[in-house]
């Protein structure tokens, strides 16, 4: 998660990361997405897409970390 935070910070999206991070491992309601969208001045759909992208990046980062601890894909 720290690596993703740094990536978002380098891209100038630290606030977005800070707001979305709590939703990476949990499901939010549409109401919470709407509230978040208003706070970030984004549409509900844009927030949902941003959460989806962050979850995908998190999944990829976890897989990369695990891959470094094993000898091969099997």
């Amino acid at each position: 998660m720290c690596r993703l935070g740094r990536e978002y910070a380098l891209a100038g999206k630290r606030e977005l990361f800070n707001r979305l991070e709590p939703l990476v491992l949990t499901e939010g309601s549409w109401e919470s997405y709407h509230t978040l969208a208003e706070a970030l001045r984004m549409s509900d759909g844009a927030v949902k897409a941003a959460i989806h992208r962050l979850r995908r990046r998190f999944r990829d980062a976890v897989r990369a970390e695990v891959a470094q601890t094993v000898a091969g894909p099997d």
Side-chain angles (χ1 to χ4, degrees):
M1 195 61 75
C2 291
R3 182 185 305 165
L4 292 176
R6 285 190 301 271
E7 287 178 14
Y8 272 72
L10 288 173
K13 297 180 179 183
R14 181 52 132 168
E15 181 184 359
L16 177 64
F17 177 80
N18 289 341
R19 298 284 187 127
L20 298 181
E21 182 183 13
L23 297 172
V24 170
L25 299 176
T26 62
E27 286 296 321
S29 67
W30 274 108
E31 184 176 294
S32 65
Y33 289 174
H34 180 72
T35 302
L36 186 57
E38 286 180 341
L40 292 170
R41 295 185 182 119
M42 298 169 68
S43 70
D44 293 0
V47 167
K48 184 178 177 184
I51 292 168
H52 176 75
R53 284 191 300 273
L54 181 57
R55 286 177 178 156
R56 184 179 54 222
R57 287 287 306 125
F58 179 70
R59 182 184 65 237
D60 293 345
V62 168
R63 285 183 177 165
E65 285 295 319
V66 170
Q68 293 179 16
T69 67
V70 296
D74 294 338

